[in-house]
Amino acid sequence: MYTTISTTGMDRKTWLKLRKSGLGGSDAGAVCGLNPYSSPANVYLDKISDEIKDKDNESMRQGRDLEEYVAKRFTEETGLKVRRSNKLYRSSEHPFMLADVDRLIVGENAGLECKTATAFQAEQWKDRKVPTHYLIQCLHYMAVTGSKDRKARR
């Protein structure tokens, strides 16, 4: 079970502050030491700090900008409809666990995490393999939301 907090109309600074109140999916891979872009120490220091850091770069911005496109392509490829949840989920059993799911699959207890990559990252996705830190992110979201295991689609 989980509780939700609406993110509709929430400004970025408030959303970033809310994310500091627990471990999100992108934190999960870092805490496990498997995220090439962060580390357990970075997550710890971020969570205990009062400073709200708006870490951003061109790759992150492009990922956000392309999220809608990825969701539309998923719908075209699978026939499954998706929608934004506009909520932050917090596990009732483990309240430190947060989930900010990109999309929910309509009519299913499942979500869609939209990822993009550059040609330089192609090797990480070879043979339809999902990079471990992204897999951990999805498993974290499933644990928070109670979604059931299902075959990953690309």
Side-chain angles (χ1 to χ4, degrees), residues 5-19 52 54 88 100:
I5 300 165
S6 175
T7 57
T8 302
M10 185 179 288
D11 64 81
R12 186 161 173 84
K13 186 173 181 178
T14 302
W15 176 76
L16 289 168
K17 185 175 180 179
L18 182 59
R19 286 175 44 104
I52 306 295
D54 192 356
L88 183 79
D100 195 353

Side-chain angles (χ1 to χ4, degrees), residues 34-53:
L34 298 170
N35 187 329
Y37 310 108
S38 190
S39 70
N42 287 343
V43 172
Y44 174 75
L45 293 172
D46 176 60
K47 299 302 177 179
I48 65 167
S49 167
D50 290 334
E51 183 182 359
I52 306 295
K53 293 180 185 174

Side-chain angles (χ1 to χ4, degrees), residues 59-146:
S59 292
M60 293 168 74
R61 179 174 177 182
Q62 287 180 20
R64 285 191 309 275
D65 291 349
L66 291 170
E67 189 175 293
E68 184 65 29
Y69 174 77
V70 171
K72 284 180 182 179
R73 286 290 295 122
F74 174 83
T75 294
E76 288 174 12
E77 184 72 24
T78 65
L80 299 171
K81 293 182 180 180
V82 297
R83 65 174 177 80
R84 292 178 190 268
S85 73
N86 297 315
K87 296 176 184 168
L88 183 79
Y89 300 82
R90 182 182 298 277
S91 170
S92 298
E93 185 178 357
H94 306 289
F96 68 90
M97 293 178 68
L98 306 174
D100 195 353
V101 182
D102 288 344
R103 299 288 188 282
L104 298 174
I105 299 176
V106 176
E108 295 192 23
N109 184 17
L112 172 66
E113 183 62 25
C114 301
K115 296 295 183 193
T116 58
T118 70
F120 298 111
Q121 298 164 315
E123 189 65 29
Q124 295 176 29
W125 296 88
K126 189 177 179 179
D127 299 324
R128 301 176 68 89
K129 182 181 175 207
V130 177
T132 306
H133 62 289
Y134 291 144
L135 179 60
I136 291 171
Q137 179 178 7
C138 292
L139 293 172
H140 180 90
Y141 289 166
M142 291 170 68
V144 172
T145 63

